[in-house]
Amino acid sequence: MSTLGRWLDAKVTGAYVFGASRVGKTRAVTLFLKRLLEDRLGVSIPLHIWSRPFTHNSAAEFYKSLLNAFNHASGGTRAGPNDRLAILREFLISSADECGTNGVVLIVDEAHGMTTQEWLWLLALQNAMDSEGYALSVFSIASHQMAYEFDLMSRTGNPHVAARFLVDQWRYPGVESREELEFILDGYDVQSKWPRNEGVSYLEYFAPKDYASGRLLAHSAGALWDAMIALLPPESKGNHSFPMKHVALAVEDALFQVAFGADWEVATSDESWVLALTKHRFADHMRAISLDI
């Protein structure tokens, strides 16, 4: 995550994170970025999230979508594009003032479908903020690299737009080693306790007797990792970057089995991990994303 920190330190106007579907990039970036902002800058920076629902055909429609994402009361009102742009600007400035800063972060999810015109409307919002002495940093999340968007903008007379939003990039990885997988499983075992350090973890909740006996999901990291390797389709054999979605689904299956009376050794056996991954079509997913990785 050092890349995100570098972007923040350099005060970049825009950058994007890309990665295969369901690796967990949206949730991880959203949660980590807020903490990183607070740790690095020592203040709370307003962070707003917009999950782009579809292609917008007008500026008024585009700005209305942003207002709705922020739960702004004016999102449903009738207004022209200039009025909505002004409302957005004032809303974002107000959120910055409440935090005692002049910086605002906007996360755009599903950015791989953004049109050049939508980027231009976003640029207008950024310029409107800048004219009032406030900085709007846009971090986009996409399911694939956006080099062709950069090239398209550069060739169609909009290199300044590409330079604002698409120069810096980072490929978000999936789970790439047994050690990373063990760390994730430890989250279910211990680190998910709530309240922190004194509450109940996921494992303790679903399998209190096994937890009390010292059984841990982290001990199954090797078996789960080997199951994912074994189920890789031929076109993905060289790729050991696994989606967090399938790790979570396999773990949920194991926890539910134990909760309903299955023996721990059965629920966490090599065969059970293979069956869980197969049930949730792990191999099909890896085959589908093989061209993006």
Side-chain angles (χ1 to χ4, degrees), residues 42-87:
V43 295
S44 179
I45 297 293
L47 185 150
H48 304 281
I49 304 169
W50 177 52
S51 183
R52 179 179 173 274
F54 47 75
T55 297
H56 301 87
N57 297 316
S58 69
E61 190 179 76
F62 179 80
Y63 295 137
K64 177 182 178 179
S65 181
L66 282 167
L67 287 168
N68 285 334
F70 304 154
N71 294 317
H72 195 285
S74 297
T77 61
R78 292 181 176 274
N82 291 333
D83 290 334
R84 284 178 174 157
L85 175 59
I87 293 170

Side-chain angles (χ1 to χ4, degrees), residues 68-112:
N68 285 334
F70 304 154
N71 294 317
H72 195 285
S74 297
T77 61
R78 292 181 176 274
N82 291 333
D83 290 334
R84 284 178 174 157
L85 175 59
I87 293 170
L88 266 173
R89 180 195 64 206
E90 294 308 311
F91 169 76
L92 294 175
I93 288 176
S94 177
S95 70
D97 289 342
E98 287 179 4
C99 295
T101 180
N102 70 335
V104 179
V105 173
L106 171 63
I107 294 179
V108 178
D109 195 16
E110 303 295 337
H112 43 267

Side-chain angles (χ1 to χ4, degrees), residues 275-288:
L275 288 174
L277 291 167
T278 302
K279 168 186 172 184
H280 296 294
R281 305 183 67 178
F282 167 77
D284 290 338
H285 184 87
M286 292 302 296
R287 185 178 295 107

Side-chain angles (χ1 to χ4, degrees), residues 74-265:
S74 297
T77 61
R78 292 181 176 274
N82 291 333
D83 290 334
R84 284 178 174 157
L85 175 59
I87 293 170
L88 266 173
R89 180 195 64 206
E90 294 308 311
F91 169 76
L92 294 175
I93 288 176
S94 177
S95 70
D97 289 342
E98 287 179 4
C99 295
T101 180
N102 70 335
V104 179
V105 173
L106 171 63
I107 294 179
V108 178
D109 195 16
E110 303 295 337
H112 43 267
M114 288 272 286
T115 65
T116 299
Q117 187 59 66
E118 287 175 316
W119 286 116
L120 285 166
W121 291 327
L122 196 56
L123 177 64
L125 175 59
Q126 196 175 62
N127 287 339
M129 295 279 293
D130 185 65
S131 67
E132 298 293 328
Y134 292 80
L136 175 64
S137 296
V138 179
F139 294 96
S140 303
I141 302 174
S143 62
H144 55 252
Q145 196 169 11
M146 299 172 71
Y148 70 89
E149 280 96 338
F150 182 93
D151 185 60
L152 177 64
M153 290 183 192
S154 298
R155 291 173 181 270
T156 55
N158 296 295
H160 60 295
V161 180
R164 283 281 189 102
F165 301 116
L166 300 176
V167 171
D168 291 289
Q169 60 181 272
W170 174 53
R171 179 184 177 277
Y172 185 86
V175 183
E176 297 190 322
S177 69
R178 292 174 189 248
E179 292 73 23
E180 289 182 8
L181 182 57
E182 184 176 356
F183 178 82
I184 291 167
L185 296 179
D186 180 63
Y188 289 93
D189 293 335
V190 180
Q191 303 305 324
S192 54
K193 285 187 176 183
W194 187 259
R196 187 178 296 276
N197 300 324
E198 60 183 40
V200 177
S201 69
Y202 278 106
L203 177 61
E204 187 177 1
Y205 177 81
F206 284 99
K209 292 182 180 179
D210 293 301
Y211 179 83
S213 298
R215 296 186 175 97
L216 299 172
L217 287 166
H219 296 163
S220 295
L224 179 52
W225 179 263
D226 290 343
M228 291 192 289
I229 295 292
L231 290 173
L232 276 175
E235 53 267 52
S236 300
K237 285 298 183 183
N239 170 43
H240 293 173
S241 183
F242 301 123
M244 183 61 200
K245 170 188 174 181
H246 287 87
V247 173
L249 290 172
V251 169
E252 286 177 9
D253 274 19
L255 291 176
F256 287 150
Q257 286 183 59
V258 174
F260 284 98
D263 290 337
W264 178 267
E265 289 74 14

